[in-house]
Amino acid sequence: MKQLWEISTTECAGSKESIMLRGNVYQIANGAMGYRGTLDEFGPAEAVGITLAGIFDQVGEAWREPVNAPNGGYTRVSLDGTPLSALDDTVVAHRQVLHFRDARFERETVFAVGGKKLTLRSSRFLSVVEPNLGVIRLSVSCDQDADIAIATGIDYNIWDLNGPHLRELTPSQSDDLLCVDARTHEARKRVAVAEAVATELGGSQPLVAENRNLRRFAFRARAGEIYVLDKFFAVFAEQDSPATPPARGALELVKRARQLGRDACLAQHAAEWQSRWARCDVVIAGDDEAQQALRYSLLQLLMVAPVQGSANSIPARALSGQVYKGAVFWDTEMFMLPFFLHTYPEKAVELLRYRIRTLDGARRKAQTEGPGYRGAFYAWESQDTGDDACTYFNIGDPITGRELRTHFRDKQVHISGDVALALWEYFRITGDDRMLREGGAEVILECARFYYSYAHFKKDRGRYEILDVIGPDEYHERVNNNAFTNAVVRETFAIAGAVVAHLERTHPAELKTLLAKLDIAGELPAFADAAARLYVPAPHPKTRVIEQFEGYLKLRDASVEELKAKMVHPNEYLGAGQGLAVPTKLIKQADVVMMLNLFRARYPTEVKQANWRYYEPRTEHGSSLSACAYAMVATEIGEGERAYDYFLKTATIDLEAKYKVYVGTTFIGGSHPAANGGAWMTAVFGFGGVLIEENRILIQPRLPRKWRSLEFGLEHRGDRFQIRITADRVSVEPALTNRHEHAFMVAGEPVTCARGNPVTVEHGRSKPALSGSRAI
Ligand code: BGC
């Protein structure tokens, strides 16, 4: 039976891959840092990683990537002089658990040495109340009297992919506090880790050796007695405390935490998690597998949600390590943002502020990237400054060892529109124009300006076209009129007009200042013209299929199996110049289907059906972003079982780790927050059938047969609802704090819902699905 609030395993050693994998699956994070799911005594060989959010470093010509901190969670226990490790054959039992309720990692390992059995327990969390703080409770007990030693402190042997990023690592010990101070290589930013313990074990001896700043407790343990040690570690980087040196900030924090005590720290942390779950949980009755996987996905998102006020975003591999350069892709806006927007808008604000904060980087990219580009061309792989971390030769060919020219950086232009759409969506869902006024409107106008400089006006056809791009399907590069891209570009122009109209009505003086600052007023009519005359490939009148890009339908048909059979290397990249997929119709990930999902209110069911059926057998799902798009559209076209399969694929990706670990020669393993967000979207938008229209919320349930009920919270325009769907009824429970009356269309029935007035609507699975669509 699946546990609904935890996962556990009895494995602790094994191959390098399995240790790596558990490091991902059992990681914990708190938005400021991620701590991989490794064991107390592990080191860099086991890929221990404390990956910091928002601080990056480059060594030489290697990839710039996030900084991993020294490990303040390190402990090594010895029994009668034998150091214990879960990697050795002294292990007789092991169990480790990740608790979803409070994002806590626990291990219990029993070691046997010389006929004695020692049990080591530890329980670790990264505080969501004090984002620089980690807390560990360790306990040991032995079944016989024994000499036990506990060496605990900070290990500054650091696992890096392209490091070493920290230099001048300096250990210090004073007043029973440990510290390691360091500087990054590139910008010489200070990073410091401090550690304090609270224990009744008595005195300890300093032990600084082999890049570990430790203290050692040695004592004679009595049989059966439990010896406890609480550990507090803090990680500060220069940006966390501009006024105070990071070492001081870290030392002060561990002292404060120790004074408060581990239990109080945990109580604060757990209370905050409880309120997160109260807002964001999705409850599925009747399907434990789906419930566990979905909840795990939500845990992942909530753990990596940026710290309030940080204006940080979530990288494509979250905080699970340095993979993908710790970079932020379109994954955030298109796949993760909806979850936060509809359940936890304060976190959506941070994600959007990140794009506002990095606007100058996007401007620099437009200026340097292309002939006459203007405005904001957002980075395909964005780090702290918004400059593009994506290289022109971003993939290594495992066959020849050569670098392959890819055009992700210079041609995947839909990224700017993805950002613009996200900012507008925040306004549409929350009704709050703060983000627009605090830089979002500027971003949107600059994105429209970029697209105008990128678009071509074809006089003979009387239309604008977007040429020479990569759409979401990265196997076909430099294509013309990619349906997804054109639709996003057209929407960006439309949004630019809508933003101006909104500000004109509500904040005319601010608008005037903004238009003057950007010197853009004269360009607005051109944006409006582009919004009206930009070409977006339409469904074929007979087949209803939308051609992914010009010429796609003339390519050769090929199945995934056929191409896989031709591969000469298991990690061979199927795209770029010579890739096997290039001359064929095989696509890497949802592209037209992605567009149909993004603009799902605009396309009729028949078009969705025709395209889903056409593209689905031609999609490799070579990206973790693909399955949820197919899942969501499948729910709308009566492909319930396929929808469910794709849903599980999305929701279990990080639990089961069935994903590519290499693309070409590049290691890409780690967690998949976009798929986690896709799992939420599939549950709520897909099976729940939630669609937010202009003035009402549509709920058109299409639950998988075995789900007895689906329950979730939804925030809308500052109010909150708890929605519960069963096979025959939908109930909408407004929060007691709601201020407005809201219009709903529930299973085809218009209802309104205000505070104190919950609504229940009967429906039957047999009722025809309402597509909520209008033809375009
Ligand atoms: C996908 C992109 C995605 C990136 C990061 C690539 O494999 O094709 O769409 O943004 O991974 O997840």
Side-chain angles (χ1 to χ4, degrees):
M1 209 191 84
K2 296 272 178 199
Q3 293 293 330
L4 304 183
W5 283 99
E6 65 180 48
I7 50 165
S8 62
T9 178
T10 54
E11 284 172 33
C12 59
S15 63
K16 204 169 166 60
E17 288 80 63
S18 74
I19 292 171
M20 193 69 167
L21 181 69
R22 284 193 299 280
N24 294 331
V25 175
Y26 286 85
Q27 67 179 304
I28 52 173
N30 66 354
M33 53 186 161
Y35 193 144
R36 293 174 52 78
T38 47
L39 301 178
D40 309 82
E41 64 275 24
F42 284 3
E46 290 76 43
V48 171
I50 297 187
T51 303
L52 305 182
I55 170 161
F56 293 84
D57 185 70
Q58 182 170 25
V59 177
E61 292 298 300
W63 279 356
R64 203 161 178 264
E65 63 189 13
V67 170
N68 279 348
N71 175 18
Y74 179 84
T75 298
R76 184 95 194 229
V77 176
S78 310
L79 172 60
D80 288 336
T82 305
L84 305 174
S85 165
L87 300 173
D88 298 342
D89 55 10
T90 48
V91 175
V92 290
H94 175 81
R95 183 164 184 265
Q96 65 185 49
V97 185
L98 179 67
H99 296 281
F100 299 175
R101 276 189 212 281
D102 53 3
R104 195 161 42 85
F105 172 80
E106 243 175 7
R107 62 90 64 100
E108 179 178 312
T109 313
V110 183
F111 300 91
V113 176
K116 295 182 187 174
K117 277 191 184 160
L118 178 142
T119 304
L120 167 64
R121 291 198 183 89
S122 82
S123 161
R124 170 203 295 165
F125 64 92
L126 296 178
S127 172
V128 273
V129 180
E130 285 282 4
N132 303 86
L133 179 71
V135 181
I136 302 175
R137 168 159 288 176
L138 278 156
S139 71
V140 290
S141 64
C142 193
D143 65 346
Q144 297 171 43
D145 288 2
D147 287 326
I148 293 183
I150 302 179
T152 189
I154 306 167
D155 182 2
Y156 52 101
N157 295 290
I158 299 170
W159 173 61
D160 277 321
L161 292 183
N162 294 291
H165 295 294
L166 293 181
R167 301 283 163 112
E168 300 167 35
L169 287 143
T170 315
S172 60
Q173 301 206 358
S174 66
D175 299 337
D176 75 355
L177 301 176
L178 308 184
C179 187
V180 173
D181 206 349
R183 280 182 188 275
T184 60
H185 180 84
E186 188 188 4
R188 297 189 51 74
K189 283 191 181 160
R190 278 182 185 281
V191 174
V193 178
E195 190 253 21
V197 294
T199 182
E200 289 176 359
L201 289 178
S204 63
Q205 294 298 317
L207 180 66
V208 186
E210 298 170 343
N211 296 331
R212 295 192 187 108
N213 184 13
L214 311 175
R215 64 172 88 61
R216 184 168 180 274
F217 296 92
F219 56 97
R220 182 75 187 160
R222 279 208 303 274
E225 193 138 329
I226 298 173
Y227 299 89
V228 180
L229 181 140
D230 290 338
K231 239 172 111 67
F232 305 86
F233 66 92
V235 187
F236 270 71
E238 208 158 294
Q239 74 231 39
D240 294 321
S241 55
T244 339
R248 177 129 55 90
L251 286 164
E252 278 165 14
L253 179 54
V254 292
K255 270 197 275 183
R256 228 176 338 116
R258 180 169 62 182
Q259 210 158 30
L260 196 61
R262 181 263 186 187
D263 290 346
C265 289
L266 177 59
Q268 288 180 342
H269 166 81
E272 169 59 23
W273 267 102
Q274 197 179 4
S275 85
R276 288 183 176 196
W277 283 118
R279 293 171 80 165
C280 306
D281 194 19
V282 176
V283 182
I284 298 168
D287 186 350
D288 288 355
E289 184 186 9
Q291 174 70 85
Q292 188 198 48
L294 179 57
R295 200 168 267 146
Y296 179 82
S297 303
L298 305 185
L299 170 74
Q300 296 302 311
L301 289 167
L302 290 170
M303 287 199 300
V304 297
V307 171
Q308 229 63 22
S310 64
N312 273 337
S313 190
I314 305 175
R317 290 290 177 271
L319 298 173
S320 63
Q322 294 157 320
V323 167
Y324 266 148
K325 307 164 196 160
V328 177
F329 293 63
W330 71 313
D331 304 33
T332 314
E333 283 73 21
M334 290 286 129
F335 298 85
M336 304 176 215
L337 184 81
F339 164 72
F340 293 110
L341 204 48
H342 293 277
T343 64
Y344 203 165
E346 303 94 296
K347 297 295 182 187
V349 164
E350 299 305 328
L351 300 177
L352 295 172
R353 282 210 175 119
Y354 167 76
R355 292 301 192 177
I356 295 171
R357 166 161 82 79
T358 51
L359 172 60
D360 279 345
R363 286 186 170 122
R364 281 193 292 277
K365 179 172 168 185
Q367 273 159 23
T368 52
E369 204 58 59
Y373 296 166
R374 304 177 64 227
F377 183 3
Y378 272 88
W380 182 245
E381 298 183 0
S382 187
Q383 299 177 328
D384 46 350
T385 60
D387 293 292
D388 210 328
C390 186
T391 57
Y392 294 114
F393 296 84
N394 215 41
I395 290 181
D397 179 5
I399 305 162
T400 59
R402 293 178 191 151
E403 292 173 327
L404 298 173
R405 174 67 162 110
T406 54
H407 294 83
F408 313 145
R409 171 184 172 130
D410 41 333
K411 301 293 174 192
Q412 205 153 165
V413 299
H414 66 78
I415 179 65
S416 285
D418 303 332
V419 172
L421 265 66
L423 281 157
W424 185 251
E425 188 66 355
Y426 177 85
F427 173 53
R428 196 175 80 83
I429 302 301
T430 62
D432 168 12
D433 64 6
R434 207 164 31 122
M435 296 316 298
L436 297 178
R437 295 170 57 207
E438 290 175 10
E442 185 171 344
V443 167
I444 291 170
L445 289 172
E446 287 286 59
C447 290
R449 182 179 247 168
F450 165 63
Y451 282 144
Y452 201 81
S453 72
Y454 198 93
H456 296 259
F457 185 71
K458 293 290 179 73
K459 272 203 203 120
D460 52 336
R461 294 169 164 176
R463 69 190 195 192
Y464 293 85
E465 298 189 356
I466 304 293
L467 308 178
D468 196 9
V469 300
I470 306 187
D473 159 31
E474 292 182 341
Y475 289 163
H476 296 92
E477 302 201 349
R478 311 200 68 167
V479 301
N480 295 333
N481 292 317
N482 165 251
F484 176 91
T485 305
N486 287 26
V488 164
V489 173
R490 184 172 70 181
E491 194 68 6
T492 305
F493 286 126
I495 288 172
V499 164
V500 169
H502 171 76
L503 292 180
E504 204 147 44
R505 217 172 43 247
T506 55
H507 301 92
E510 278 179 31
L511 176 66
K512 210 167 149 214
T513 313
L514 176 63
L515 296 181
K517 175 181 167 194
L518 301 180
D519 191 14
I520 206 170
E523 297 167 44
L524 299 180
F527 298 169
D529 188 45
R533 292 202 283 168
L534 197 133
Y535 165 63
V536 177
H540 184 276
K542 280 210 189 90
T543 63
R544 311 293 246 158
V545 169
I546 298 169
E547 189 169 30
Q548 186 175 300
F549 54 82
E550 266 168 25
Y552 172 85
L553 293 173
K554 294 197 196 101
L555 296 175
R556 186 168 67 74
D557 236 327
S559 66
V560 180
E561 295 69 36
E562 182 198 323
L563 293 197
K564 292 229 154 127
K566 287 188 182 156
M567 283 165 69
V568 293
H569 190 285
N571 302 331
E572 183 176 337
Y573 184 60
L574 297 180
Q578 306 296 320
L580 282 167
V582 176
T584 77
K585 286 187 181 138
L586 188 87
I587 62 174
K588 180 178 179 188
Q589 66 202 87
D591 194 311
V592 169
V593 167
M594 181 68 199
M595 176 190 76
L596 295 174
N597 185 54
L598 183 60
F599 299 107
R600 65 187 180 284
R602 298 185 189 170
Y603 289 91
T605 312
E606 311 83 78
V607 169
K608 290 176 185 156
Q609 200 164 49
N611 284 279
W612 192 96
R613 291 195 176 145
Y614 186 83
Y615 286 105
E616 196 265 344
R618 296 175 170 86
T619 308
E620 184 213 1
H621 303 297
S623 157
S624 62
L625 275 45
S626 193
C628 68
Y630 277 94
M632 282 186 272
V633 175
T635 64
E636 291 187 70
I637 59 168
E639 291 278 359
E641 280 176 28
R642 303 299 309 279
Y644 183 77
D645 292 346
Y646 277 118
F647 165 73
L648 271 193
K649 196 170 159 156
T650 303
T652 57
I653 185 163
D654 284 331
L655 273 180
E656 294 185 357
K658 288 187 198 143
Y659 47 75
K660 282 188 194 170
V661 177
Y662 279 95
V663 164
T665 55
T666 311
F667 175 67
I668 59 162
S671 57
H672 297 76
N676 303 151
W680 181 88
M681 286 198 284
T682 306
V684 173
F685 298 158
F687 299 129
V690 169
L691 180 68
I692 313 291
E693 292 189 326
E694 198 59 30
N695 287 313
R696 62 180 183 179
I697 301 172
L698 221 74
I699 304 179
Q700 183 61 48
R702 322 171 255 250
L703 296 195
R705 282 202 185 278
K706 61 174 157 177
W707 291 13
R708 287 198 310 277
S709 66
L710 170 71
E711 192 173 341
F712 51 90
L714 209 59
E715 295 222 359
H716 187 68
R717 310 244 157 117
D719 284 348
R720 229 201 107 69
F721 302 93
Q722 195 62 22
I723 294 168
R724 191 177 139 79
I725 301 171
T726 64
D728 46 20
R729 65 177 55 116
V730 179
S731 62
V732 181
E733 170 100 37
L736 293 172
T737 47
N738 282 7
R739 287 168 306 155
H740 310 286
E741 185 175 82
H742 297 262
F744 282 80
M745 175 76 118
V746 180
E749 199 173 307
V751 288
T752 54
C753 186
R755 184 180 59 212
N757 175 26
V759 178
T760 299
V761 173
E762 306 285 333
H763 75 106
R765 285 197 211 266
S766 52
K767 269 197 185 177
L770 185 95
S771 70
S773 314
R774 69 184 157 81
I776 60 162

